[in-house]
Amino acid sequence: MKNTFHHPLPDKNGYFGPYGGSFIPDELQKIIDEITEAYLRIREDPEFLTELAELYQHYVGRPSPIFHARNLSTKYGTDIYLKREDLNHTGAHKINHCLGEALLAKKMSKKKLIAETGAGQHGVALATAAALVGLECDIYMGEVDIVKEHPNVVRMHILGAKVIPATHGRKTLKEAVDAAFGGYLEDPVTQLYAIGSVVGPHPFPMMVRDFQSIVGNEAKEQFAEMTGGLPNNLVACVGGGSNAIGLFSAFLEDESVKMYGVEPSGHGLEKDGEHAATLSKGEPGVMHGFKSYMLKDAEGEPQEVYSVASGLDYPSVGPQHSYLKDSGRVTYESVDDREAIDAFFELSRLEGIIPAVESAHALAQALRMANNGEKGSILVNLSGRGDKDIDFVVDNYGKDYGIDSEL
Ligand SMILES: *Cc1c(COP(=O)(O)O)cnc(C)c1O
């Protein structure tokens, strides 16, 4: 079997140029170094690779198809293709790295997976992987999010995970990270902190990228089969950046392929706290144990962030994206709430596919490019399905699209 987990970056200390690395307390560094060593070993282990490949096929339902969106293509005047990560078991790309992290934890004889979650998507994907692999699972979640994201909290309970509320501060994602970090420090030996995107200290940006690279590897082969060549453009939304790097990583050496990462500009880029466009508006800084572009407030602390898509509102970004921005290999754009919701309805009504509002940001960028005269093919990573978003979208935007909000 071809081992696709080998990439030129990061270096052995986890740096992508000046970004990445590991900024954590010494006692924790020892434990994280063990995770790095274990990961570098198992990614060469044919037994591990086979086990993961079989789960991808028979459990997740991979390969996820590429769909040529003909109705959209006709209307917008260029060929638009969708990589259907929304069709995975649990409805998004997150299961790809959660299964990898769960298998790693099992091989390291850990007892428990822990993680933070915002909207609950990562929590559900991790609780799923933990149930399958036979590990305990603690998910830390802000009290405010627990109320807001009730269905995902119920799912986690059904899957046998424990949901631990973060009760301090604003009681949302950042506080959940703090609480999970605290919980991890209490027992880093029997627990593995399964980070939810290509963020955090080395090795997580590398490891999560490697697990997500299945998306791009499949897409490259599928696209060649369908069309005989490479796509002209790739587009993916960027929260922490895992679905985007998963798609991009297979094409980085293909100079003819242009790549676009799409951040959320929420209510607009002008006002701090009203967007989460880290690469467009941020500056280099350290938070959550790694160096990357970051949105800072006046004190240099992580800025408050906002987006209609709760999977995209993070005030930092995966370090490889910072590197790819500076090198110019990837162009980072932003899309606001309204454009994303327009794209959400456009895809629903023209193709019968309800996308996650996160993924709708990527689609909105593709439609904008087509409107601006792009004639080359555009492959959009449809990172997840929109079932989780339907009530929110209809309550807040339904009437603009002819839907009675009293429904
Ligand atoms: C979590 C999530 C994202 C954002 O995470 P990345 O690490 O940037 O990929 C995007 N889309 C969906 C559907 C998600 O659940």
Side-chain angles (χ1 to χ4, degrees), residues 193-240:
Y193 193 152
I195 291 182
S197 186
V198 285
V199 299
H202 180 61
F204 289 97
M206 167 180 76
M207 191 165 81
V208 172
R209 185 263 325 263
D210 293 353
F211 291 139
Q212 287 296 346
S213 62
I214 183 81
V215 176
N217 292 334
E218 283 177 6
K220 194 168 182 175
E221 225 179 280
Q222 292 167 316
F223 200 86
E225 252 169 51
M226 288 174 88
T227 70
L230 289 164
N232 298 110
N233 303 281
L234 303 178
V235 183
C237 64
V238 175

Coordinates of all heavy atoms in Angstrom, one line a residue, residues 193-240:
Y193 N -5.6 13.8 24.6 CA -6.3 14.9 24.1 C -6.4 14.9 22.6 O -5.4 15.1 21.9 CB -5.6 16.2 24.6 CG -6.4 17.5 24.6 CD1 -6.2 18.5 25.5 CD2 -7.4 17.7 23.6 CE1 -6.9 19.7 25.4 CE2 -8.2 18.8 23.6 CZ -7.9 19.8 24.4 OH -8.6 21.0 24.4
A194 N -7.6 14.7 22.1 CA -7.8 14.5 20.7 C -8.2 15.9 20.1 O -9.4 16.2 20.1 CB -8.8 13.4 20.4
I195 N -7.2 16.6 19.6 CA -7.5 18.0 19.1 C -8.4 17.9 17.8 O -8.2 17.0 17.0 CB -6.2 18.8 18.9 CG1 -5.6 19.0 20.3 CG2 -6.4 20.1 18.1 CD1 -4.3 19.8 20.3
G196 N -9.3 18.9 17.7 CA -10.3 18.8 16.7 C -10.0 19.4 15.3 O -10.8 19.4 14.4
S197 N -8.8 19.9 15.2 CA -8.5 20.5 13.9 C -6.9 20.5 13.8 O -6.2 20.0 14.6 CB -9.0 21.9 13.7 OG -8.8 22.4 12.4
V198 N -6.4 21.2 12.7 CA -4.9 21.2 12.5 C -4.3 22.3 13.3 O -3.5 23.1 12.8 CB -4.6 21.3 11.0 CG1 -4.8 20.0 10.3 CG2 -5.4 22.4 10.4
V199 N -4.7 22.3 14.6 CA -4.2 23.4 15.5 C -3.6 22.7 16.8 O -3.5 21.5 16.9 CB -5.3 24.3 15.9 CG1 -5.9 25.0 14.7 CG2 -6.4 23.6 16.7
G200 N -3.1 23.5 17.7 CA -2.5 23.0 18.9 C -1.0 22.8 18.7 O -0.4 23.0 17.6
P201 N -0.3 22.3 19.8 CA 1.2 22.0 19.6 C 1.5 20.9 18.7 O 0.6 20.0 18.5 CB 1.6 21.7 21.1 CG 0.3 21.2 21.7 CD -0.8 21.9 21.1
H202 N 2.7 20.9 18.1 CA 3.2 19.7 17.4 C 3.0 18.5 18.3 O 3.3 18.6 19.5 CB 4.7 20.0 17.1 CG 5.3 18.8 16.3 ND1 4.9 18.5 15.1 CD2 6.4 18.0 16.6 CE1 5.7 17.5 14.7 NE2 6.5 17.2 15.6
P203 N 2.5 17.3 17.9 CA 2.4 16.9 16.4 C 1.0 17.1 15.9 O 0.7 16.6 14.8 CB 2.7 15.4 16.5 CG 2.0 15.0 17.8 CD 2.3 16.2 18.8
F204 N 0.0 17.8 16.6 CA -1.3 17.8 16.1 C -1.6 18.4 14.8 O -2.3 17.8 14.0 CB -2.3 18.4 17.2 CG -2.4 17.4 18.4 CD1 -1.6 17.6 19.5 CD2 -3.2 16.3 18.4 CE1 -1.6 16.7 20.6 CE2 -3.3 15.4 19.4 CZ -2.5 15.7 20.6
P205 N -1.0 19.5 14.4 CA -1.2 20.1 13.1 C -0.8 19.1 12.0 O -1.4 19.0 10.9 CB -0.4 21.4 13.1 CG -0.3 21.8 14.5 CD -0.2 20.5 15.3
M206 N 0.3 18.4 12.2 CA 0.8 17.4 11.3 C -0.1 16.2 11.2 O -0.5 15.7 10.2 CB 2.2 17.0 11.7 CG 2.8 15.8 10.9 SD 4.4 15.3 11.4 CE 4.2 14.6 13.0
M207 N -0.4 15.7 12.4 CA -1.1 14.4 12.5 C -2.6 14.5 12.0 O -3.0 13.7 11.2 CB -1.2 14.0 14.0 CG -1.6 12.6 14.3 SD -1.2 12.2 16.0 CE -2.5 13.0 16.9
V208 N -3.2 15.6 12.4 CA -4.6 15.8 11.9 C -4.6 16.0 10.4 O -5.4 15.5 9.6 CB -5.3 16.9 12.7 CG1 -6.7 17.2 12.1 CG2 -5.5 16.5 14.1
R209 N -3.6 16.8 9.9 CA -3.4 17.0 8.4 C -3.3 15.6 7.7 O -3.9 15.3 6.7 CB -2.2 17.9 8.2 CG -2.0 18.3 6.7 CD -1.0 17.4 6.0 NE 0.2 16.9 6.7 CZ 1.4 17.5 6.7 NH1 1.6 18.6 6.1 NH2 2.4 16.9 7.4
D210 N -2.4 14.8 8.3 CA -2.1 13.5 7.6 C -3.4 12.6 7.6 O -3.7 12.0 6.5 CB -1.1 12.7 8.4 CG 0.3 13.4 8.3 OD1 0.5 14.3 7.6 OD2 1.2 12.9 9.1
F211 N -4.2 12.6 8.7 CA -5.4 11.9 8.6 C -6.4 12.4 7.7 O -7.2 11.7 7.0 CB -6.1 11.8 10.0 CG -5.2 10.9 11.0 CD1 -5.1 11.3 12.3 CD2 -4.7 9.7 10.6 CE1 -4.3 10.6 13.2 CE2 -3.9 8.9 11.5 CZ -3.8 9.4 12.8
Q212 N -6.5 13.8 7.5 CA -7.4 14.4 6.6 C -6.9 14.3 5.2 O -7.7 14.6 4.2 CB -7.7 15.9 7.0 CG -8.5 16.0 8.2 CD -10.0 15.5 8.1 OE1 -10.4 15.2 7.0 NE2 -10.7 15.4 9.2
S213 N -5.7 14.0 4.9 CA -5.2 14.0 3.5 C -5.9 13.0 2.7 O -5.8 13.0 1.4 CB -3.7 13.9 3.5 OG -3.3 12.6 4.0
I214 N -6.6 12.0 3.3 CA -7.4 11.1 2.5 C -8.3 11.8 1.5 O -8.6 11.4 0.4 CB -8.2 10.2 3.5 CG1 -9.0 9.1 2.7 CG2 -9.2 10.9 4.3 CD1 -8.3 7.9 2.3
V215 N -8.8 13.0 2.0 CA -9.8 13.8 1.2 C -9.2 14.2 -0.2 O -9.7 14.0 -1.2 CB -10.3 15.0 1.9 CG1 -11.2 15.9 1.1 CG2 -11.0 14.6 3.2
G216 N -8.0 14.8 -0.1 CA -7.3 15.2 -1.3 C -6.8 14.1 -2.2 O -6.8 14.1 -3.4
N217 N -6.3 13.1 -1.5 CA -5.8 11.9 -2.2 C -6.9 11.3 -3.1 O -6.7 10.9 -4.2 CB -5.1 10.9 -1.3 CG -3.9 11.4 -0.6 OD1 -3.2 12.3 -1.2 ND2 -3.6 10.9 0.5
E218 N -8.0 11.1 -2.4 CA -9.1 10.5 -3.2 C -9.6 11.5 -4.3 O -9.8 11.0 -5.4 CB -10.4 10.3 -2.3 CG -10.3 9.1 -1.4 CD -11.5 9.1 -0.4 OE1 -12.5 9.9 -0.6 OE2 -11.6 8.2 0.5
A219 N -9.7 12.7 -4.0 CA -10.2 13.7 -4.9 C -9.4 13.8 -6.2 O -9.9 13.9 -7.3 CB -10.3 15.1 -4.3
K220 N -8.0 13.7 -6.0 CA -7.1 13.8 -7.1 C -7.4 12.7 -8.1 O -7.5 12.9 -9.3 CB -5.7 13.8 -6.6 CG -4.7 14.3 -7.6 CD -3.4 14.5 -6.9 CE -2.4 15.0 -8.0 NZ -1.1 15.3 -7.3
E221 N -7.5 11.5 -7.5 CA -7.7 10.3 -8.4 C -9.1 10.3 -9.0 O -9.2 10.1 -10.2 CB -7.6 9.1 -7.5 CG -6.8 7.9 -8.0 CD -6.8 6.8 -7.0 OE1 -6.0 6.8 -6.1 OE2 -7.6 5.8 -7.2
Q222 N -10.1 10.7 -8.2 CA -11.5 10.7 -8.8 C -11.6 11.8 -9.9 O -12.3 11.5 -10.9 CB -12.4 11.0 -7.6 CG -12.6 9.9 -6.6 CD -13.3 10.4 -5.3 OE1 -13.0 11.5 -4.8 NE2 -14.2 9.6 -4.8
F223 N -11.0 12.9 -9.6 CA -11.1 14.0 -10.6 C -10.5 13.6 -11.9 O -11.0 13.9 -13.0 CB -10.6 15.3 -10.1 CG -11.1 16.5 -10.8 CD1 -12.3 17.1 -10.4 CD2 -10.4 17.0 -11.9 CE1 -12.8 18.2 -11.1 CE2 -10.9 18.1 -12.6 CZ -12.1 18.7 -12.1
A224 N -9.3 13.0 -11.8 CA -8.6 12.5 -13.0 C -9.4 11.5 -13.8 O -9.5 11.5 -15.0 CB -7.2 11.9 -12.6
E225 N -10.1 10.6 -13.0 CA -10.9 9.6 -13.7 C -12.1 10.2 -14.4 O -12.5 9.8 -15.5 CB -11.5 8.6 -12.6 CG -10.9 7.2 -12.7 CD -11.3 6.5 -11.4 OE1 -12.5 6.4 -11.1 OE2 -10.4 5.9 -10.8
M226 N -12.7 11.3 -13.8 CA -13.9 11.9 -14.3 C -13.6 12.8 -15.5 O -14.4 12.9 -16.5 CB -14.6 12.8 -13.3 CG -15.3 12.0 -12.2 SD -15.9 13.1 -10.9 CE -17.5 13.6 -11.5
T227 N -12.4 13.5 -15.5 CA -12.2 14.5 -16.5 C -10.9 14.3 -17.2 O -10.6 15.0 -18.2 CB -12.1 15.9 -15.8 OG1 -10.8 15.9 -15.0 CG2 -13.2 16.2 -14.8
G228 N -10.0 13.4 -16.8 CA -8.7 13.2 -17.4 C -7.7 14.2 -17.0 O -6.5 14.1 -17.5
G229 N -8.0 15.1 -16.0 CA -6.9 16.0 -15.6 C -7.0 16.5 -14.2 O -7.7 15.8 -13.4
L230 N -6.5 17.6 -13.9 CA -6.5 18.2 -12.6 C -7.6 19.3 -12.6 O -7.9 20.0 -13.6 CB -5.2 18.9 -12.3 CG -4.0 18.0 -12.0 CD1 -2.7 18.8 -12.1 CD2 -4.1 17.3 -10.6
P231 N -8.2 19.6 -11.4 CA -9.1 20.7 -11.3 C -8.2 22.0 -11.4 O -7.1 22.1 -11.1 CB -9.7 20.6 -9.9 CG -8.8 19.7 -9.1 CD -8.0 18.9 -10.1
N232 N -8.8 23.1 -12.0 CA -8.1 24.4 -12.1 C -8.1 25.1 -10.7 O -7.2 25.8 -10.4 CB -8.8 25.3 -13.1 CG -8.8 24.7 -14.5 OD1 -9.8 24.3 -15.0 ND2 -7.6 24.6 -15.0
N233 N -9.2 24.9 -9.9 CA -9.3 25.6 -8.6 C -9.8 24.7 -7.5 O -10.7 23.9 -7.8 CB -10.3 26.8 -8.8 CG -9.9 27.8 -9.8 OD1 -9.0 28.6 -9.6 ND2 -10.5 27.6 -11.0
L234 N -9.3 24.8 -6.3 CA -9.8 24.2 -5.2 C -10.3 25.2 -4.2 O -9.7 26.3 -4.0 CB -8.7 23.4 -4.4 CG -7.9 22.3 -5.2 CD1 -6.9 21.7 -4.3 CD2 -8.9 21.2 -5.7
V235 N -11.4 25.0 -3.6 CA -12.0 25.9 -2.6 C -12.4 25.1 -1.3 O -13.1 24.1 -1.5 CB -13.2 26.7 -3.1 CG1 -13.7 27.7 -2.1 CG2 -12.8 27.4 -4.4
A236 N -12.0 25.6 -0.2 CA -12.5 25.0 1.1 C -12.6 26.1 2.2 O -11.9 27.0 2.2 CB -11.5 23.9 1.5
C237 N -13.5 25.8 3.1 CA -13.7 26.8 4.2 C -12.6 26.5 5.2 O -12.0 25.4 5.3 CB -15.0 26.7 4.8 SG -15.4 25.1 5.6
V238 N -12.2 27.6 6.0 CA -11.1 27.4 7.0 C -11.6 27.9 8.4 O -11.9 29.1 8.5 CB -9.9 28.3 6.6 CG1 -8.9 28.3 7.7 CG2 -9.3 27.8 5.3
G239 N -11.8 27.0 9.3 CA -12.0 27.3 10.7 C -10.6 27.2 11.3 O -9.8 28.1 11.4
G240 N -10.3 26.0 11.8 CA -8.9 25.6 12.2 C -8.1 25.3 11.0 O -6.9 25.5 10.9

